Amino acid sequence: MFGNERTFRVSLNIDESALFQEEIPKETHQLPFGFASGALHFQFEKKPTQVKESKINGLLELSSMVFMLSVVLLVLYAYLFWHLVPVQDFSEQTIWEGRGWYQLLGIQVTGGLFIVSMLKCMLESPGSISSELRLQVEQVVGNRYHVVMTEELLSKLQAKDRKRSLLPRYCKTCILVKPDRSHHCSVCNYCVLRMDHHCSYINNCVGLNNYKYFINMINYSALASVLVTCTMWEGLLLAWENPKNTVLFQAVFGIVYFANTLLSVVLVGFNSFHYYLILNALTTIEFYEKKSVHFEVSPYHQSLKSNWLAVFGTNPLAWFLPIKPNSSDTLTFEKPELSAFN
């Protein structure tokens, strides 16, 4: 198919960090030359997996998850039994009589959708690179891998899946060619498609397949937290005015309320940040790389509508529900003309 095959052999004993300083996003695992056809032979030292660090990270992940669940359960318990029960007499008033019923419905809906979104975000794979993009290993000498990258392999990636130099990216740990916007997660120990960040609170990476679930999760956590802040103050005042309550209970109730108020501000800000990223076609990783690479507009930016639909899908009824969006190709991302890089 490709006619006269050309073969290149080179050893990558160079300072890769000095190459392609203006590329977006910045990567160090980049082939330092291009080719149009044939096969490319090269070698590199495989990055080992840090087993000790993995165990430590596992304990930190577990601690973060336990802390988050403890906070959620404590706030929910306080809202139901310290606020709603004293404020609303559910035994005497029929349904929809009294604002307590509406508050109970609100916390059930937002809390339920938060839990479903969190579970989907935790259990859904963020998206891994297909084994079809694995580099062909010719020889292994110690920790040094001699591999070959064929044009057949590269044909699976479009030109827009490479960087400004049109050169393919590869991972020294997974021994894979990396599509655009994919990154290796040192905690999960594999390359994630359109990686946004690794979240300790869900013990999972946030990537292409579960990013919408993550947005749904922080949406409903913010809504639930704001609902608690805007309504639980009445129960707090009743608790402080009731002489039967101990000082310790009143103090704990106050701490829970004001801690939740602070959490509401943080969650609203965190939501705003991620909506900024969505509308500007950025991931969290690309946002921080933007500071060092110095580019004005994301190379994946099309329009506000296109950027929104790329994350939430084309069905408006599913935008704010923990439902998987309809997406196209998991390996390619639309880009404007190359002039946008300049």
Side-chain angles (χ1 to χ4, degrees), residues 42 44 131-137 147-150 153 170-171 174-177:
F42 58 99
F44 57 82
S131 59
E132 294 180 353
L133 298 181
R134 184 170 299 279
L135 293 168
Q136 180 181 339
V137 179
V147 300
V148 58
M149 187 180 295
T150 63
L153 180 97
Y170 66 95
C171 177
C174 300
I175 321 297
L176 290 166
V177 175

Side-chain angles (χ1 to χ4, degrees), residues 230-248:
C230 293
T231 58
M232 198 166 71
W233 62 269
E234 186 177 4
L236 178 63
L237 291 180
L238 289 176
W240 283 354
E241 294 172 355
N242 191 344
K244 295 181 180 180
N245 292 328
T246 64
V247 175
L248 178 62

